[in-house]
Amino acid sequence: TEVYSNTGGQASKATPLGSTAKFASGGKRTPRKDLAAMAMTYSTVYVAQIAMGADFNQTVRAVTEAAAYPGPSLLIAYATCIAHGIRAGLGSTPHEAKKAVDAGYYHLFRFNPSLKEQGKNPFLLDSGEPKLDYETFLDGEIRYDALKRYHPEEAEELFRQAAARSHERYQYLKKLEHFYGDLMP
């Protein structure tokens, strides 16, 4: 959930840049780890990032492919928790997931190494170009809004950095899609 929910909402390596959490009330100053990228370096692990509220069909495809894959599989799902402070309430989690993908905060993709053996591109970027303003998404969560209210200068800089990193991440995923596509016969 990007914070240690079971310990009262502490910041962790999965906590995003600029987010507030216990022990990061001034906004986390380092980017979160990229578990998916680490797992894909093995090139024998099925890896997918999913968000059921953003794309139910992509989620079902990923779960089905992961279950059928003959090796280890890793599904990383966008999940909200009370520590996010979703203004619309936790009942709106599916809508929040869609906004996260639409803003480029979270990207959907599947990496299926068995597709290489079939002469197909093993990397499929399922989310499109972000179409929602990044900060509009952040404004819907108290963990970001708190930083904006109490440390507006820091918030402006951290949110700018986070939006830029999100854009860079999307461009990286597009290049990854082309890279694997160029390797195919």
Side-chain angles (χ1 to χ4, degrees), residues 76-140:
I76 303 166
Y78 182 79
T80 60
C81 75
I82 198 161
H84 290 189
I86 298 171
R87 292 193 176 283
L90 283 176
S92 69
T93 291
H95 303 291
E96 194 70 13
K98 178 141 181 48
K99 286 182 357 187
V101 171
D102 287 348
Y105 178 88
Y106 191 80
H107 306 286
L108 306 179
F109 60 83
R110 293 169 288 141
F111 177 73
N112 186 347
S114 63
L115 291 178
K116 274 190 284 190
E117 299 159 11
Q118 301 170 27
K120 297 178 182 173
N121 188 342
F123 185 84
L124 302 162
L125 180 57
D126 294 315
S127 53
E129 186 85 34
K131 57 187 174 203
L132 177 66
D133 177 64
Y134 193 84
E135 202 164 326
T136 298
F137 168 74
L138 298 182
D139 286 343

Side-chain angles (χ1 to χ4, degrees), residues 6-126:
N6 59 338
T7 60
Q10 296 176 27
S12 73
K13 291 177 184 164
T15 302
L17 181 73
S19 175
T20 59
K22 195 178 288 183
F23 306 120
S25 61
K28 186 160 176 272
R29 306 226 176 254
T30 56
R32 67 185 189 141
K33 67 181 174 184
D34 191 343
L35 182 60
M38 289 187 279
M40 285 190 294
T41 63
Y42 290 97
S43 72
T44 58
V45 178
Y46 179 95
V47 181
Q49 279 195 185
I50 60 175
M52 192 180 314
D55 189 338
F56 180 78
N57 292 330
Q58 186 263 357
T59 299
V60 171
R61 276 192 304 274
V63 170
T64 302
E65 290 171 0
Y69 184 70
S73 297
L74 175 65
L75 295 174
I76 303 166
Y78 182 79
T80 60
C81 75
I82 198 161
H84 290 189
I86 298 171
R87 292 193 176 283
L90 283 176
S92 69
T93 291
H95 303 291
E96 194 70 13
K98 178 141 181 48
K99 286 182 357 187
V101 171
D102 287 348
Y105 178 88
Y106 191 80
H107 306 286
L108 306 179
F109 60 83
R110 293 169 288 141
F111 177 73
N112 186 347
S114 63
L115 291 178
K116 274 190 284 190
E117 299 159 11
Q118 301 170 27
K120 297 178 182 173
N121 188 342
F123 185 84
L124 302 162
L125 180 57
D126 294 315

